[in-house]
Each structure stands twice: as structure tokens, then as C-alpha cells.
């Protein structure tokens, strides 16, 4: 058994509890852990939050800078999402270049934000074909006790909502970070990734690390009030159509609870 991998004894206990509709920590299968959001944790970011889901913790920062538009979107701003799973967040993380887990985390959050079109990228165009704002979303894991996808996605949405756009200096053609002009232009959608895990015949949300270890398959659904913007499947076991539909129903219900809590925490 590898470092930190859940023992077979604990795995059997988790399966037994789930068969009875219960979980180790007393939650129901479709219930998230306590969500805590701390705003403005970085003085250098345009918007930043610390998100805690139970013992899982991430920091997400949003930075803006002036750059050139992409060749295929001359009248739109740019979006870049990166994730770094820090060694201090888990004994399973090794030092060195980003591994697949970090790359996948960044891509899943990027896809959920991008495909939902929450950011009005056209309003981030300064001069068509010449200058646009680039939005950078940086994700750093502090502690991994399961469900980094959802914690990071909640953090990305929250950081975007609290971020302020720097003033564009026409003389220097650069951002003036000493002054702010307003909020990032956001559309009226609120994409949050809800990751569903299947263990035996049971579907659960917001797994602990031990529950993730014995998960047979997972499906991360980027959703906003019933509208799906992205899906990402993990693990090798397939899902049937009826199982996917069930996962979507679970995700939509969970989104309502998480978004309600997020709104309260950002006030």
C-alpha cells in the first residue's frame, strides 16, 4: 500500500456505511462539508479568496494584465487558468514539474469558466486587434482532504466576483495597479463544478480523501442553475446514461445549496 492510501479495512467500512445511506463523518451521500470563504487574502491579486471545504483548502487569485488578443478573437480579452498542487497539501505530492493531477485540475476549472461564458470577454477589449485585458486565475492547493475540483471551482467563481479591474494607462499602454475602474464584467451565470463519485451503487458529492481513494468513477459537472457548461469524467469505469442523468440531478441540487452559501459568504 502506497503512502497515505486508504486501507482495505477503512474501505470496507466506508462501503458498509454508504450501503446504509450514511458516511463516516455523519453526512448524507448528497451533502457537502462546511464551506468557508475568506476574501482578500492576497494584497497583490485583483481578487483572491481562501476556500475551505471541510479540511480541504485552496487559495485562488485573479490577476489582470494588458496584452495582445488571440489571433482568433481579436475583439475579446483572454483567459488563462493554472493550478499548482503544492507538496505541503499532501504527502502524496512529489516535488518537481506539474504532474497530471495539477494539469487536469487547471483544465477542468478553465473549461467550466470558459464554456459557461461567465466572463464577458468582449468588454475586456481595450483596442481591437491590439490591446486587451488578460484574466489570470491561479489556483494553489494548501491541504488536500478530497474534492480539489469543487473547492478550486468555488474559489475561481468567488475570486472573479470580488476582483477589481486596474485602470488602463493610455500613455504607458500598461495597467495602473494603484487605481481601479470597477468589477470584472460578468454575465448572469454562476458556474460551479460539482463532482459526483460512484462507490458501489452509491453516488456521493464532496468526498474526503479516503472516499476518493475507493471511488470507482467520477464525473465533474460544471453547472449553473440547471444549465450544464462542461463535463469531465475521471477513472476508468464507464457510466450508463441513466447514471449520468442521476448524477446531473444530484449536481443541480448540490449547486443550489453551494451557491446559496457562496452568496452569503461573499456579502
Amino acid at each position: 500500500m502506497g503512502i497515505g492510501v486508504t486501507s482495505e479495512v477503512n474501505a470496507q467500512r466506508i462501503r458498509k456505511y454508504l450501503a446504509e445511506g450514511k458516511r463516516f463523518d455523519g453526512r448524507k451521500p448528497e451533502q457537502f462539508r462546511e464551506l468557508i470563504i475568506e476574501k482578500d487574502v492576497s494584497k497583490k491579486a485583483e481578487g483572491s479568496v481562501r476556500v475551505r471545504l471541510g479540511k480541504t483548502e485552496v487559495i485562488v487569485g485573479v490577476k489582470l494584465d494588458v496584452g495582445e488578443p488571440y489571433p482568433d478573437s481579436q475583439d475579446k480579452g483572454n483567459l488563462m487558468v493554472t493550478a499548482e498542487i503544492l507538496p505541503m497539501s499532501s504527502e502524496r505530492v512529489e516535488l518537481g514539474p506539474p504532474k497530471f493531477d495539477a494539469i487536469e485540475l487547471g483544465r477542468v476549472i478553465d473549461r467550466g469558466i470558459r464554456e459557461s461564458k461567465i466572463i464577458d470577454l468582449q468588454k475586456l477589449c481595450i483596442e481591437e486587434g491590439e490591446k486587451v485585458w488578460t484574466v489570470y486565475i491561479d489556483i494553489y492547493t494548501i491541504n488536500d482532504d478530497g474534492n480539489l475540483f469543487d473547492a478550486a471551482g468555488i474559489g475561481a467563481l468567488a475570486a472573479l466576483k470580488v476582483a477589481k479591474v486596474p485602470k488602463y494607462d493610455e500613455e504607458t499602454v500598461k495597467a495602473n495597479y494603484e487605481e481601479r475602474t470597477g468589477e470584472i464584467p460578468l454575465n448572469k451565470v454562476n458556474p460551479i463544478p460539482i463532482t459526483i463519485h460512484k462507490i458501489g451503487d452509491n453516488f456521493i458529492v464532496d468526498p474526503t480523501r479516503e472516499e476518493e481513494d475507493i471511488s470507482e468513477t467520477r464525473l465533474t459537472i460544471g453547472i449553473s442553475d440547471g444549465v450544464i457548461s462542461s463535463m469531465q469524467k475521471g477513472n476508468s469505469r464507464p457510466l450508463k446514461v441513466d447514471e449520468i442523468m442521476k448524477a446531473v440531478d444530484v449536481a443541480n441540487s448540490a449547486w443550489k445549496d453551494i451557491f446559496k452559501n457562496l452568496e452569503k459568504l461573499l456579502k
Side-chain angles (χ1 to χ4, degrees):
M1 186 169 65
I3 296 176
V5 175
T6 299
S7 68
E8 183 56 34
V9 172
N10 281 347
Q12 290 178 4
R13 289 177 64 190
I14 291 171
R15 293 188 185 98
K16 181 177 181 296
Y17 268 57
L18 285 174
E20 299 170 356
K22 300 182 293 185
R23 293 167 80 171
F24 252 20
D25 53 13
R27 288 182 292 151
K28 297 177 182 178
E30 298 172 7
Q31 183 179 359
F32 269 72
R33 292 168 289 181
E34 182 183 13
L35 172 63
I36 298 174
I37 298 177
E38 179 185 351
K39 297 183 290 184
D40 303 322
V41 296
S42 170
K43 294 181 180 179
K44 298 297 183 181
E46 275 62 81
S48 62
V49 295
R50 184 194 305 270
V51 172
R52 295 185 180 93
L53 269 179
K55 294 180 181 178
T56 293
E57 182 176 344
V58 301
I59 289 178
V60 182
V62 169
K63 284 290 294 179
L64 282 90
D65 199 4
V66 176
E68 296 180 359
Y70 295 138
D72 60 347
S73 54
Q74 295 283 293
D75 62 342
K76 295 179 181 179
N78 305 321
L79 171 66
M80 293 184 65
V81 180
T82 59
E84 190 170 346
I85 300 180
L86 302 177
M88 70 175 179
S89 63
S90 171
E91 71 276 7
R92 306 183 190 188
V93 181
E94 299 177 356
L95 293 169
K99 303 295 191 296
F100 174 78
D101 287 350
I103 295 170
E104 184 183 29
L105 177 59
R107 287 177 176 173
V108 169
I109 304 307
D110 182 297
R111 188 176 299 121
I113 295 291
R114 192 181 302 276
E115 296 303 323
S116 72
K117 296 180 173 55
I118 180 176
I119 304 175
D120 191 338
L121 293 175
Q122 283 192 315
K123 290 184 179 179
L124 292 177
C125 179
I126 300 169
E127 183 180 350
E128 185 172 344
E130 298 293 334
K131 297 292 180 184
V132 299
W133 288 106
T134 296
V135 179
Y136 298 91
I137 300 177
D138 298 319
I139 301 162
Y140 299 95
T141 66
I142 305 302
N143 192 58
D144 179 8
D145 188 38
N147 201 19
L148 287 177
F149 287 111
D150 297 4
I154 292 168
L157 177 59
L160 284 170
K161 284 181 173 290
V162 301
K164 305 296 182 183
V165 180
K167 182 179 179 181
Y168 175 66
D169 190 321
E170 294 184 359
E171 292 186 4
T172 63
V173 199
K174 294 181 180 180
N176 178 0
Y177 294 102
E178 301 302 318
E179 297 185 45
R180 308 292 181 190
T181 60
E183 300 175 345
I184 293 177
L186 301 179
N187 292 311
K188 293 182 179 181
V189 292
N190 294 281
I192 296 174
I194 305 293
T195 303
I196 313 296
H197 284 256
K198 187 173 184 231
I199 301 174
D201 294 326
N202 303 284
F203 289 85
I204 66 170
V205 299
D206 189 28
T208 63
R209 196 67 175 113
E210 288 185 326
E211 290 172 331
E212 279 189 343
D213 282 345
I214 66 171
S215 171
E216 296 159 20
T217 191
R218 74 162 195 265
L219 185 65
T220 300
I221 303 171
I223 192 167
S224 174
D225 199 16
V227 178
I228 297 171
S229 59
S230 62
M231 277 192 183
Q232 174 79 14
K233 186 183 172 300
N235 301 349
S236 59
R237 183 167 177 173
L239 284 171
K240 299 177 182 177
V241 173
D242 62 318
E243 292 177 323
I244 294 174
M245 297 305 295
K246 180 179 179 180
V248 169
D249 287 341
V250 171
N252 191 42
S253 177
W255 176 89
K256 293 177 182 178
D257 292 335
I258 290 297
F259 181 62
K260 185 185 299 182
N261 288 338
L262 185 147
E263 281 193 310
K264 290 179 181 178
L265 293 168
L266 290 183
K267 287 183 177 178

